[in-house]
Amino acid sequence: MVAMDLSLTEKQEALKSEAREFFERECPTSLVREMERDERGYPTELWERMAALGWMGLPFPEWYGGGGGSLTDLAVLLEEFGRALVPGPFFNSVAVVGLTILDAGSDEQKAAILPRIADGSLIATAALLEEDARYRPEAIRMPLETREGQSVLNGVKMFVEYANSADVMLTPVRTSQNGDSEKGVTLALISASDAGIEATSLDSIARDRQFALQFEDVSVSPDAILGSVGDAWPILKRALDRATLLHCAQSVGGAQRVLEMTVDYTKQRVQFDRPIASFQSVQHDCADMVIAIDSARLAVYQAITRIEDGQNADKEIALAKTITNHAYKWTTLTAQQVHGGIAFMEEYDLQLWTRRAKVAELKFGASSGYTESFAQQMGLA
């Protein structure tokens, strides 16, 4: 068995440092709070500055205006996104839709869309979920029907992030029904400005921008289909696998920041004439946070490395998602306890990460499903 080298390269360390310095300067928590109240949900100035740094194009080849970076490079960047709670459609536009088009799009689709995602002039989002709200083929039910020689969509997609700003939406639909739910899944690239799409804003505990989209006789042209009609589930599964791990990296970054905040607080908070950092129980809590976060980070990058090497990573993805869900949720809850009453005040920053940890726990599937998948991979179920 060949050992994996999971240490960051010199360029990745430089990217990490550059992103951290940039977000500490350009994305303070005051901006995060402001964007929770903003109708758009993110500042165009920050988006343009990130585009100028080449971050939207980081994982795309140079001939599409990208930086030729790896999945690991993108994970390193997204850790810093999670640490700073950067608002905006970067994750869906780049990590979900952009990489899926790079993976399975036609030459024409790649040439038309990827350079514009890379320079930030086009924003993409993913309309993945329906009423079932599971990331499973059987949950994809919205039909793509043929009427009078034209393909049309009717139905509802839920929890579509930043649909108010998107130009293009990656939308899985059902083109046939049979006994195998993985057959008959088709991916369509839908223009967000098409007639027949009505968006309704949804409340979110993270206060990000999410929408329910009603599709009514929305026309879909043949050149909007990504891959082959009816055979898109393998494409979508690869997209979900990548996105799950990249979102885990983002969660690891969030948990890391919570740890840093907590350690700083324990050194400043005085109880019984000494900092609470000197109390053994508090020390153990902080040490346990480190163990949880570092375990999650190791699991995430190990799974990403397997994907980059072209290996099956179902077991590693299940492990990474389960551990990361626990690490982010447990770290924020423990931090709340260590901080005491101040942590429950909205004026204090910790709650920003606590709320997002709850959303991250459910994003791309809850822990229970991944735990079952891990057991299956071990031959236990």
Side-chain angles (χ1 to χ4, degrees), residues 156-173:
V156 177
K157 289 289 185 179
M158 299 295 296
F159 313 114
V160 183
E161 299 174 5
Y162 293 97
N164 58 329
S165 302
D167 301 294
V168 173
M169 298 183 295
L170 179 70
T171 310
V173 297

Side-chain angles (χ1 to χ4, degrees), residues 124-136:
T125 191
L128 302 177
L129 298 176
E130 300 179 25
E131 184 179 356
D132 190 315
R134 288 184 300 158
Y135 298 89
R136 296 290 305 155

